[in-house]
Amino acid sequence: MHRLEQGLNILMVLILSGILLGAFGVQFIMHEEPCPLCMLQRLGMIGVASGALLNLWFGVRMSHYGLCLLSALMGGFVALRQISLHVCPGLPAFGLPVLGLSLYTWSFIVFVCVVLGIACLLFLYDPEETPKEPVQQGFWSKFAFGLILFIALTNIATTFWQCGLGPCEG
């Protein structure tokens, strides 16, 4: 795997981790419970990060980028659905705006950037360089994996805390 490709996958995971940690900050510091659509958008970001981590741990494969793209499309469609629910004049936006835009609008922008970023990463893809044995992991790969694992487990715990075993209300 090219060092550039490896670095860009790590960067993608770290950026998505920062966004998800920011969402937890809004949830716990600002006391704004996420709606079910917000939870699905978080799941989409975790899916994108998981595909990038698969690239880091097992070498770059088209199926890993496929997971990233499908997760980004799912998250983007959910964000677009939420935007469409609040686009009518006179209807209030959901949640506090960040830099003038709602969090779900920022989420849509993030998913569009992910799709564009993966398209650029696919230009670097070379099937000849797929390793036959596991890739050696450096500090940043391990850190990114631990961070996303922590975020995913925290997201599962907070979802059960908010919704229980039944469907979420909201």
Side-chain angles (χ1 to χ4, degrees):
M1 176 180 348
H2 294 285
R3 292 194 67 72
L4 174 64
E5 209 168 7
Q6 182 181 24
L8 291 173
N9 275 285
I10 291 171
L11 182 63
M12 182 168 39
V13 172
L14 293 177
I15 288 171
L16 289 170
S17 297
I19 292 167
L20 290 166
L21 288 173
F24 282 130
V26 169
Q27 181 177 348
F28 294 117
I29 296 169
M30 306 294 225
H31 303 290
E32 284 200 29
E33 294 294 322
C35 68
L37 293 175
C38 298
M39 290 181 201
L40 286 173
Q41 292 167 53
R42 289 181 185 185
L43 184 64
M45 289 185 195
I46 291 170
V48 171
S50 298
L53 285 172
L54 286 171
N55 279 336
L56 293 171
W57 286 80
F58 300 109
V60 175
R61 291 193 175 80
M62 297 295 277
S63 57
H64 302 162
Y65 283 132
L67 174 63
C68 291
L69 287 174
L70 287 175
S71 297
L73 288 173
M74 183 274 301
F77 286 137
V78 170
L80 197 56
R81 166 76 170 128
Q82 193 166 7
I83 290 168
S84 69
L85 290 173
H86 301 284
V87 75
C88 296
L91 291 177
F94 182 78
L96 297 172
V98 175
L99 299 175
L101 296 175
S102 61
L103 291 178
Y104 45 88
T105 304
W106 281 113
S107 179
F108 179 74
I109 292 169
V110 165
F111 286 122
V112 168
C113 290
V114 164
V115 170
L116 293 174
I118 300 229
C120 292
L121 281 170
L122 285 171
F123 283 116
L124 299 174
Y125 176 70
D126 184 9
E128 306 279 321
E129 291 188 17
T130 302
K132 303 299 182 227
E133 63 265 351
V135 180
Q136 282 287 43
Q137 300 307 313
F139 169 77
W140 289 108
S141 294
K142 292 176 183 176
F143 177 75
F145 177 79
L147 191 57
I148 276 296
L149 181 63
F150 169 75
I151 290 170
L153 293 175
T154 305
N155 199 50
I156 290 168
T158 58
T159 301
F160 278 125
W161 176 50
Q162 181 179 346
C163 303
L165 293 175
C168 287
E169 295 179 18

